[in-house]
Amino acid sequence: MIRVRRSAVIDAPIDRVWAVLRDFNSHSAWHPAVGDSRIERGEPADQVGCVRNFFLKDGNHIREQLLALSDRDYISTYSILDATLPMRNYVATVQLKRITDGDRTFWHWESTFDVPKGREREFEQLVGGGVYEGGFAGLRSYLNGGRSSAAVNAVESQGVVATGFGGPEVLQFRRVESERTRSGEVRLRQTAVGVNYIDIYIRKGLYKMIEPPAPLGMEAAGVVVESNAPGFRPGDRVAYACTPPGAYVTMRTLPAGQLVLLPEYINDETAAAVMLKGMTAEYLLHRTHRVRPGDVVLVHAAAGGVGLLLCQWAKALGARVIGTVSSEAKAELARANGCDHAIISRDYKFASQLETLTAGRGADVIYDGLGREAAKENLEALALRGHWVSYGQASGAHDAFPDLTHKSGTLSRPVLFHYTAEHLQEMAGNVFSALREKTIHVEVRHRYPLAAAADAHRDLEARRTSGQIVLLP
Amino acid sequence: MRDFNGLPKWTPFVAESRIENGMPADRIGCVRNFRLKDGGVIREQLLTLSDYDYQCSYSILESPMGVENYVATLKLTPVTDGNKTFAEWWAEFDCAPEKERQLAQGIGQGVFQAAFDSLKNHLRK
């Protein structure tokens, strides 16, 4: 049996080093000897038992299985399942330790294995020198933002691609290209991807935002693996919500301007679930219209993703929140989230009830994601000098907007990305603060492997889900 | 570092040290009795010593520090990249709750880190 041990000091804090090494599939980004690598069966790269299937640059092919992973002790242990090299019984352990003197990292890498008689020295050198020492150098260069030779190649990514417009069956999990970073860009290994109803509209072709075949998805969280932009370093945790779609992938390259750094108190799943809806609620309540204490705020689809956040946040701002919902169960949910009064209506009729509830005053602001079918009632429900904010059109696009003169009404047709274009960092910061202070909360209730995105769509369309859905690459 | 009686040679705060009962300094169970430069006397007992793992551990029998059940371990690991040494030194002990922070800081920085700094200088000579 051969025992190989190598160790090194990395001049970076342990959390930065560990963020890279704990990812069982990251080696193709930082190890100079590793070529294409993927995790089999679409499993998460930190799931014990997952298998990485990769090629070395010299053409050898290896499958390795993750046996143990400890975020507490910074240990990762793995074994070789099959290799085109004559190595048997190979078990290796990577362990990091914090060097308190200077906030650096001690990295110990060791393995035991068997090789054919007479080839011990050759393999001791190959593993200890080529793999372990080569890895130390590669990771150092990678953490310095320099490119290891591996990073020059396009990195393999997998994603869920809409192969055409239509039902969930058009979604296919396949290999996709992840571009090298150009100046000002950052590449992420994604850890959680948010699923939104807009993804279904896009898949059906109602919103012409992609040209198939193309991946769907508006938002995700992940870890920076390559940065060509100031302010972002490998190992940084980030999230985004942006156009064009393309978040249903394992690796993504984006302009740094689309990314926000995640504070420690926001986990990846929450970030992936909240970016789009949270920033939507943020600008609707603070930017399109500035909600003040005492305002009567009408929130349609009050039990929906954005609706719940609007109710929670408007209530915290001191507004009187009135919501519309389609069932008693949803009314209960809305009320539990800050809605003072939930009007149950299945046919877009709510104006007369609102009039009664507000003694004829109407709503100072209406957050309307309903669209055409509710237009007439919204006009009736609007208070004098009220603000009608039409940010979505679930029942169909407006034909033409009615005359607002007799109410001195204001109409807005805002789009999230026109706000994030200028205020992204501030908006995301406000969402994170509101989460930390529990002004708002989101609940990730459904998790699917990325490869099962079609199932997530089926369940969302069949209304079998409640709360947020994330896909796990 | 394997010399249990060697503290005066490489730490900045030990004035003198002896092994009680004339035992060898690498005999498990031996007790080092040393006086700090500030005058305090500490008695510590060697619990384990491994030339294979480059590790030793010891407990405090008597000290002016106000600690109980104090067991410390000193461990060296080779850093093959550059032929250097990774040294770790850690301790677990009980004490009055209000003294926890001060003792952890005092032992971690004032003793262990200060000794490391001093050892680095010692080896450079």
Side-chain angles (χ1 to χ4, degrees):
Chain A
M1 185 182 76
I2 304 182
R3 181 173 189 182
V4 176
R5 289 198 273 190
R6 293 291 189 280
S7 52
V9 172
I10 305 295
D11 198 10
I14 192 166
D15 291 328
R16 272 191 75 206
V17 180
W18 184 240
V20 179
L21 294 185
R22 80 182 291 286
D23 179 344
F24 198 50
N25 199 35
S26 70
H27 59 169
S28 62
W30 58 267
H31 199 295
V34 175
D36 281 352
S37 176
R38 66 185 175 85
I39 301 287
E40 296 182 357
R41 300 195 303 272
E43 287 181 336
D46 53 4
Q47 180 169 325
V48 172
C50 76
V51 175
R52 66 182 178 195
N53 186 321
F54 62 99
F55 287 90
L56 295 175
K57 293 274 175 63
D58 64 10
N60 276 299
H61 175 232
I62 302 178
R63 291 175 67 237
E64 291 179 334
Q65 183 167 39
L66 185 62
L67 301 180
L69 183 69
S70 168
D71 282 338
R72 182 183 151 84
D73 299 316
Y74 303 102
I75 291 176
S76 165
T77 300
Y78 57 94
S79 64
I80 290 182
L81 298 179
D82 321 294
T84 50
L85 295 160
M87 298 162 73
R88 297 289 172 266
N89 307 317
Y90 177 95
V91 177
T93 294
V94 161
Q95 176 167 27
L96 303 183
K97 291 191 176 184
R98 190 187 307 273
I99 299 182
T100 56
D101 183 10
D103 199 11
R104 291 169 296 166
T105 303
F106 171 71
W107 175 0
H108 186 85
W109 200 347
E110 80 169 68
S111 56
T112 56
F113 57 93
D114 297 307
V115 294
K117 215 168 168 54
R119 299 186 69 181
E120 292 85 357
R121 269 183 75 88
E122 176 197 343
F123 274 88
E124 206 281 339
Q125 267 310 306
L126 176 76
V127 173
V131 180
Y132 298 174
E133 287 170 8
F136 296 151
L139 191 84
R140 282 193 184 110
S141 139
Y142 176 74
L143 290 176
N144 285 333
R147 302 214 174 139
S148 70
S149 53
V152 174
N153 304 325
V155 167
E156 182 184 339
S157 174
Q158 292 171 295
V160 174
V161 170
T163 54
F165 294 123
E169 70 281 355
V170 303
L171 299 182
Q172 280 185 17
F173 186 60
R174 55 161 80 162
R175 185 179 167 145
V176 295
E177 280 282 287
S178 162
E179 296 292 314
R180 275 179 51 190
T181 57
R182 287 168 299 213
S183 178
E185 290 184 333
V186 169
R187 180 157 57 213
L188 325 181
R189 180 175 302 285
Q190 303 204 121
T191 52
V193 177
V195 175
N196 293 282
Y197 219 88
I198 189 176
D199 301 344
I200 289 172
Y201 293 145
I202 295 170
R203 190 201 71 213
K204 287 179 168 170
L206 299 177
Y207 292 173
K208 296 279 190 279
M209 292 171 69
I210 57 164
E211 279 183 35
L216 296 174
M218 310 299 288
E219 61 181 338
V223 178
V224 174
V225 295
E226 182 183 319
S227 174
N228 211 336
F232 293 92
R233 298 191 304 182
D236 283 344
R237 296 173 59 240
V238 295
Y240 65 87
C242 71
T243 54
Y248 287 13
V249 293
T250 56
M251 305 281 293
R252 192 167 190 198
T253 301
L254 284 170
Q258 307 274 28
L259 299 175
V260 295
L261 289 168
L262 286 178
E264 259 175 44
Y265 57 85
I266 304 288
N267 68 43
D268 292 10
E269 290 185 4
T270 300
V274 82
M275 290 295 288
L276 195 71
K277 299 180 187 85
M279 292 198 299
T280 297
E282 199 273 352
Y283 85 80
L284 290 173
L285 296 167
H286 301 87
R287 297 171 197 272
T288 308
H289 184 92
R290 187 173 285 275
V291 170
R292 292 168 208 286
D295 279 355
V296 173
V297 173
L298 177 61
V299 177
H300 290 311
V306 175
L308 288 173
L309 290 173
L310 286 172
C311 289
Q312 296 162 9
W313 214 337
K315 183 68 182 173
L317 290 168
R320 181 171 179 215
V321 184
I322 298 172
T324 67
V325 292
S326 61
S327 69
E328 180 51 48
K330 289 183 176 181
E332 205 168 295
L333 181 61
R335 284 193 292 264
N337 282 274
C339 185
D340 292 301
H341 192 98
I343 298 171
I344 300 172
S345 163
R346 286 183 190 80
D347 53 3
Y348 303 110
K349 295 280 185 252
F350 48 82
S352 70
Q353 277 197 64
L354 183 95
E355 195 182 341
T356 310
L357 285 167
T358 60
R361 171 172 161 186
D364 299 305
V365 57
I366 299 175
Y367 290 115
D368 170 25
L370 299 179
R372 184 172 57 209
E373 299 298 321
K376 192 164 161 290
E377 288 277 311
N378 274 325
L379 182 62
E380 277 177 42
L382 198 65
L384 284 181
R385 300 178 307 282
H387 192 172
W388 179 1
V389 180
S390 167
Y391 72 95
Q393 309 178 84
S395 72
H398 290 284
D399 303 318
F401 280 97
D403 182 11
L404 295 161
T405 321
H406 70 282
K407 292 223 167 147
S408 291
T410 304
L411 175 73
S412 291
R413 295 280 287 119
V415 174
L416 170 67
F417 301 112
H418 298 155
Y419 289 82
T420 52
E422 197 171 335
H423 304 292
L424 171 64
Q425 300 299 330
E426 193 186 333
M427 291 166 69
N430 288 340
V431 171
F432 298 152
S433 301
L435 283 167
R436 185 184 52 199
E437 286 151 19
K438 300 195 170 20
T439 304
I440 60 171
H441 58 90
V442 294
E443 205 172 330
V444 176
R445 291 229 190 112
H446 305 278
R447 297 168 181 83
Y448 299 77
L450 176 60
D455 294 336
H457 277 213
R458 282 187 195 99
D459 290 347
L460 181 59
E461 283 181 276
R463 307 204 177 277
R464 285 192 288 264
T465 65
S466 65
Q468 311 302 328
I469 303 172
V470 295
L471 305 175
L472 301 174
Chain B
M1 288 170 100
R2 90 182 279 291
D3 180 0
F4 198 53
N5 197 31
L7 291 179
K9 277 185 273 179
W10 62 275
T11 65
F13 38 76
V14 175
E16 55 183 8
S17 173
R18 64 183 173 88
I19 302 290
E20 295 181 357
N21 303 321
M23 291 215 284
D26 51 5
R27 181 162 175 196
I28 300 303
C30 75
V31 174
R32 67 183 173 195
N33 185 320
F34 59 96
R35 190 167 55 79
L36 300 170
K37 287 183 178 160
D38 68 12
V41 169
I42 299 180
R43 293 177 65 237
E44 291 175 337
Q45 184 166 37
L46 183 63
L47 303 178
T48 66
L49 180 67
S50 168
D51 284 335
Y52 183 72
D53 295 318
Y54 304 106
Q55 181 167 331
C56 84
S57 52
Y58 56 91
S59 63
I60 288 183
L61 301 179
E62 261 181 68
S63 87
M65 287 153 55
V67 296
E68 284 175 36
N69 306 315
Y70 180 105
V71 176
T73 301
L74 188 51
K75 178 176 170 63
L76 305 181
T77 313
V79 180
T80 60
D81 182 24
N83 198 22
K84 292 176 290 185
T85 302
F86 173 58
E88 291 171 278
W89 200 346
W90 67 93
E92 288 184 21
F93 54 87
D94 294 314
C95 66
E98 65 275 13
K99 289 182 70 181
E100 266 177 27
R101 276 176 74 96
Q102 184 204 339
L103 277 169
Q105 177 71 18
I107 292 169
Q109 282 303 118
V111 180
F112 297 169
Q113 182 62 45
F116 282 151
D117 291 342
S118 164
L119 182 70
K120 284 188 237 174
N121 285 326
H122 180 74
L123 294 172
R124 248 179 236 129
K125 280 174 198 164

